[in-house]
Amino acid sequence: MSGNGSAAATTEGNGPKMRVIRVGTRKSQLARIQTDSVVTTLKSLYPGLQFEIIAMSTTGDKILDTALSKIGEKSLFTKELEHALEKNEVDLVVHSLKDLPTVLPPGFTIGAICKRESPYDAVVFHPKFVGKTLETLPERSVVGTSSLRRAAQLQRKFPHLEFRSIRGNLNTRLRKLDEQQEFSAIILAAAGLHRMGWQNRVGQILHPEECMYAVGQGALGVEVRSKDQDILDLVGVLHDPETLLRCIAERAFLRHLEGGCSVPVAVHTVVKDGQLYLTGGVWSLDGSDSMQETMQTTVLVPAQHEDGPEDDPQLVGITAQNISRGAQLAAENLGISLANLLLNKGAKNILDIARQLNDAH
């Protein structure tokens, strides 16, 4: 890893000292593109600061022969980056929000959630099947996905297809699709394909009635040290209020269900006319058993003028001091209420069996 010493470094140059903000990221091309987009915005907001990007590999980047759901590690793509934050080697880290667990290690918080790109999943087809859809693929065609959530929902919807695990970054997965004959199609997050400039490879977008998305999918989260008020203030302006409230509700739902990547849990959120709608669902591994419900809450809450900072301003790992606390609490309560509704209807049994089956295979 490049860069030594404190993150609050300064550079002399020919003029006055300029503070250097060090930004941590994973090494993949997509991670770099995502981090560059955040840094570009920060540079435009803070022209008097200098930003240095420090890229590093994570456990999830190194273990490529095992399905994510089998590894049993909640911080696969974040631990090494958090270690650098803890040691003051970086000031902030840019993540795909869906990679961040709903409970962060002590001392860390998500200081910003940027405006969400498309949260939907996309289907990329092998060149010989371009123009097809999942529905029109030949019987027993093999579709690659690294996600239990996608496989469970799509097996239920498209029983004529076979779903198989595929690992690696976006470039690797597309190469496996194009150069090998194993897969007829693969499922990827639409946001990642858009950020890479590969929109032309998208053959089909999966809408919520076909496949609901992962918690936080399509949004970027900026993780910082929870006590570093200076950096919290710096990145807090990046919060997109609507994305923030949707993601608080989604993360609260997942956290209360005690879900993770080892069980199929999916969501869909909409903000409309001051109402936040959350649909959440759980599935058995093969999709044969499922349960989903929708609830809503009012999030048009006036900003509150509080006397002082909260003892613990975090909600599901997120700190947003410039967004109405009442609206944030309403979003969190919506997620918890929906999780309780599903748990009361028997969702725990579905998830427990899914977890046991996943562990056994």
Side-chain angles (χ1 to χ4, degrees):
M1 193 177 76
S2 62
N4 297 307
S6 164
T10 55
T11 56
E12 293 272 0
N14 297 321
K17 287 185 178 180
M18 183 180 273
R19 184 175 176 197
V20 178
I21 305 295
R22 295 196 178 124
V23 183
T25 178
R26 287 166 63 192
K27 280 184 174 174
S28 76
Q29 186 184 355
L30 176 59
R32 289 302 303 264
I33 287 170
Q34 292 177 167
T35 301
D36 287 347
S37 73
V38 171
V39 168
T40 298
T41 305
L42 287 171
K43 279 180 176 173
S44 68
L45 291 167
Y46 304 106
L49 295 177
Q50 190 172 328
F51 293 86
E52 179 189 351
I53 295 175
I54 297 172
M56 55 196 92
S57 293
T58 66
T59 307
D61 296 314
K62 294 167 188 165
I63 305 175
L64 295 175
D65 56 352
T66 310
L68 293 180
S69 59
K70 303 279 188 227
I71 300 170
E73 168 62 70
K74 281 187 178 167
S75 52
L76 274 177
F77 296 108
T78 59
K79 197 191 314 189
E80 286 80 1
L81 295 161
E82 285 171 342
H83 193 48
L85 255 184
E86 190 173 35
K87 293 197 296 182
N88 266 26
E89 292 172 346
V90 296
D91 282 308
L92 54 109
V93 177
V94 179
H95 300 279
S96 292
L97 185 61
K98 69 175 182 176
D99 290 340
L100 279 167
T102 54
V103 179
L104 297 185
F108 302 110
T109 190
I110 300 163
I113 295 180
C114 307
K115 187 171 175 60
R116 192 176 215 165
E117 283 226 26
S118 167
Y120 301 119
D121 289 315
V123 189
V124 178
F125 292 91
H126 187 282
K128 70 182 177 189
F129 291 120
V130 167
K132 295 274 191 188
T133 63
L134 289 181
E135 201 162 5
T136 60
L137 276 176
E139 191 83 21
R140 299 186 69 183
S141 292
V142 175
V143 177
T145 173
S146 59
S147 157
L148 294 179
R149 168 189 62 80
R150 292 172 182 147
Q153 292 181 80
L154 294 172
Q155 274 178 313
R156 185 184 177 97
K157 191 86 179 169
F158 305 103
H160 70 293
L161 301 176
E162 190 182 322
F163 293 87
R164 237 177 252 168
S165 179
I166 183 170
R167 286 291 318 281
N169 59 37
L170 280 187
N171 311 58
T172 305
R173 289 188 218 183
L174 284 172
R175 195 165 58 247
K176 284 180 182 175
L177 172 69
D178 292 342
E179 295 177 6
Q180 300 169 13
Q181 299 304 310
E182 182 181 359
F183 299 103
S184 301
I186 57 175
I187 318 287
L188 301 165
L193 289 163
H194 289 164
R195 289 179 184 130
M196 295 284 276
W198 293 340
Q199 293 94 323
N200 63 322
R201 291 303 309 264
V202 175
Q204 183 179 1
I205 293 289
L206 297 173
H207 294 291
E209 56 276 9
E210 296 167 309
C211 188
M212 290 200 295
Y213 41 83
V215 165
Q217 185 160 311
L220 300 180
V222 181
E223 190 177 18
V224 302
R225 291 178 290 275
S226 54
K227 302 288 188 213
D228 195 340
Q229 191 59 49
D230 192 24
I231 297 295
L232 271 168
D233 291 342
L234 184 93
V235 302
V237 295
L238 299 174
H239 271 304
D240 176 68
E242 182 176 310
T243 303
L244 170 77
L245 295 174
R246 289 172 64 187
C247 290
I248 285 176
E250 293 172 17
R251 285 171 65 83
F253 172 71
L254 181 65
R255 180 167 169 174
H256 203 67
L257 280 177
E258 296 183 342
C261 65
S262 63
V263 288
V265 174
V267 293
H268 173 55
T269 47
V270 179
V271 175
K272 189 177 179 187
D273 300 330
Q275 295 287 306
L276 171 58
Y277 299 84
L278 169 64
T279 302
V282 301
W283 285 261
S284 58
L285 288 190
D286 64 359
S288 60
D289 202 2
S290 73
M291 188 178 291
Q292 64 184 70
E293 293 287 349
T294 302
M295 293 180 79
Q296 70 191 80
T297 191
T298 302
V299 289
L300 263 185
V301 184
Q304 295 175 346
H305 301 285
E306 288 140 350
D307 294 335
E310 306 257 341
D311 287 341
D312 181 12
Q314 289 196 44
L315 294 179
V316 285
I318 300 162
T319 301
Q321 293 159 335
N322 54 345
I323 308 288
S324 159
R325 181 77 177 171
Q328 291 183 63
L329 288 167
E332 183 189 42
N333 288 332
L334 176 65
I336 293 169
S337 299
L338 185 63
N340 279 330
L341 177 62
L342 290 184
L343 289 169
N344 290 336
K345 295 179 92 171
K348 188 175 189 308
N349 191 44
I350 296 175
L351 292 174
D352 285 348
I353 293 169
R355 204 174 271 116
Q356 289 161 11
L357 284 172
N358 184 56
D359 291 345
H361 283 77

